[in-house]
Amino acid sequence: MPITVMPVEGLPLIQPGDDLARLIAERIDLVDGDILCLASSVWSKAKGHLRRLEAIVPTERAAAIAAKTGEDPRFIQAVLDESSSLLLEAPFVLSVLSHGHIGVRAGVDQSNTETGQVILLPPDPMGAASELAAGLLDASGARVGVIVTDTCGRAFRRGQTGHAIGWAGLTAIRDFRGESDLFGHTLQITEEAVVDECAGFANLMMGESDNGVPAVVIRGLPTWSGHDDLYWHEGEDLIRAALCAVHNVPEIR
Ligand code: GDP
Ligand code: MN
Ligand code: MN
């Protein structure tokens, strides 16, 4: 069976208060088992998770980091306010967020929004995905999985890709452990981050600039089973431990 990936065309510029489920369901016929991928930036716009730079007074810490990165201290303050801790201050801020995601500049975006305004990540991306799935069931009658995506950098490799920061109606990981390979060896290690692979393709269809496609539907992907433990726990994450050991960045508050 082929897998189909379809952009949701014709969505307007999203404003605080917009009903995303209804706007999406009006533009595409969803069926049970579809996976709707939504750019987190657009969820945040609809929910008003936005800040105006002119209303932000930077702390000394934000000013000191901004002097190192060459960014606006008010923007850095917005990043610090979204971060529960930092792994790096420079050459870019690398933040740990309260929901487990680790992202450059806490995922705070200055693109695809008015000048002088920043878009914050959804404070509860898992809740956002559940709420959208329930809204889509209501608006379309279809029981769909939802993945809330963001464009993120990666360790070791140049170039950003789409990552899942929230999901509902499916598991993050397909667990291959215990299955046999072609030669009858039992797989010991392989867990596939299917939500990130879906988010990666969806992000490719969204584009990053003025495409105007914040929602993408994946249809025909066979179901899988696994678990939702996508983030390394502290202590398991070797890269995080190495960054902390080398940089020893002070606590935020
Ligand atoms: P992020 O990856 O969640 O940070 O979001 P991006 O800023 O990269 O935007 C992803 C896609 O959504 C791009 O195609 C943008 O052009 C589009 N987009 C962003 N905001 C809006 C909006 O308010 N309305 C519409 N129709 N598209 C938007
Ligand atoms: Mn983003
Ligand atoms: Mn993007």
Side-chain angles (χ1 to χ4, degrees):
M1 276 291 289
I3 297 166
T4 315
V5 187
M6 297 167 283
V8 179
E9 307 270 14
L11 284 164
L13 273 182
I14 299 301
Q15 306 292 339
D18 280 351
D19 181 349
L20 285 174
R22 188 181 55 78
L23 290 170
I24 292 166
E26 283 170 357
R27 286 167 176 79
I28 195 155
D29 287 325
L30 294 167
V31 301
D32 284 356
D34 282 351
I35 300 172
L36 186 285
C37 300
L38 181 79
S40 52
S41 57
V42 153
W43 176 267
S44 290
K45 283 190 194 179
K47 294 292 181 180
H49 301 307
L50 306 162
R51 288 183 79 179
R52 297 209 64 84
L53 289 179
E54 66 194 12
I56 298 175
V57 181
T59 56
E60 269 177 37
R61 171 101 193 261
I65 295 173
K68 289 197 259 184
T69 64
E71 290 166 295
D72 184 326
R74 300 168 303 172
F75 173 71
I76 294 295
Q77 187 61 50
V79 170
L80 294 184
D81 291 343
E82 294 307 297
S83 308
S84 54
S85 62
L86 302 188
L87 299 181
L88 275 179
E89 287 184 346
F92 52 83
V93 175
L94 182 60
S95 306
V96 181
L97 286 94
S98 61
H99 42 85
H101 180 61
I102 294 179
V104 173
R105 300 180 192 88
V108 179
D109 276 340
Q110 291 181 288
S111 53
N112 283 319
T113 187
E114 292 163 37
T115 307
Q117 181 166 265
V118 297
I119 309 178
L120 313 175
L121 283 186
D124 174 13
M126 298 296 280
S130 299
E131 189 180 325
L132 184 58
L136 289 169
L137 178 60
D138 210 39
S140 71
R143 205 168 284 281
V144 305
V146 170
I147 299 175
V148 176
T149 70
D150 193 25
T151 306
C152 301
R154 306 159 303 157
F156 304 120
R157 301 170 82 95
R158 194 178 278 269
Q160 293 87 31
T161 65
H163 289 216
I165 61 164
W167 56 91
L170 35 79
T171 67
I173 300 253
R174 176 174 174 185
D175 197 346
F176 280 91
R177 291 173 298 178
E179 293 188 25
S180 297
D181 75 3
L182 287 170
F183 293 85
H185 309 124
T186 303
L187 296 179
Q188 311 277 354
I189 291 171
T190 309
E191 302 171 85
E192 186 175 25
V194 183
V195 281
D196 283 335
E197 294 179 312
C198 292
F201 204 103
N203 197 74
L204 175 65
M205 296 208 72
M206 289 176 193
E208 302 298 340
S209 50
D210 60 358
N211 223 16
V213 177
V216 168
V217 175
I218 301 176
R219 181 168 296 164
L221 191 64
T223 55
W224 66 93
S225 65
H227 61 78
D228 282 331
D229 220 3
L230 183 64
Y231 295 108
W232 291 122
H233 296 219
E234 232 178 316
E236 291 175 323
D237 188 337
L238 302 179
I239 296 175
R240 181 172 173 173
L243 284 175
C244 289
V246 173
H247 293 277
N248 195 21
V249 176
E251 286 296 316
I252 288 189
R253 280 172 263 275

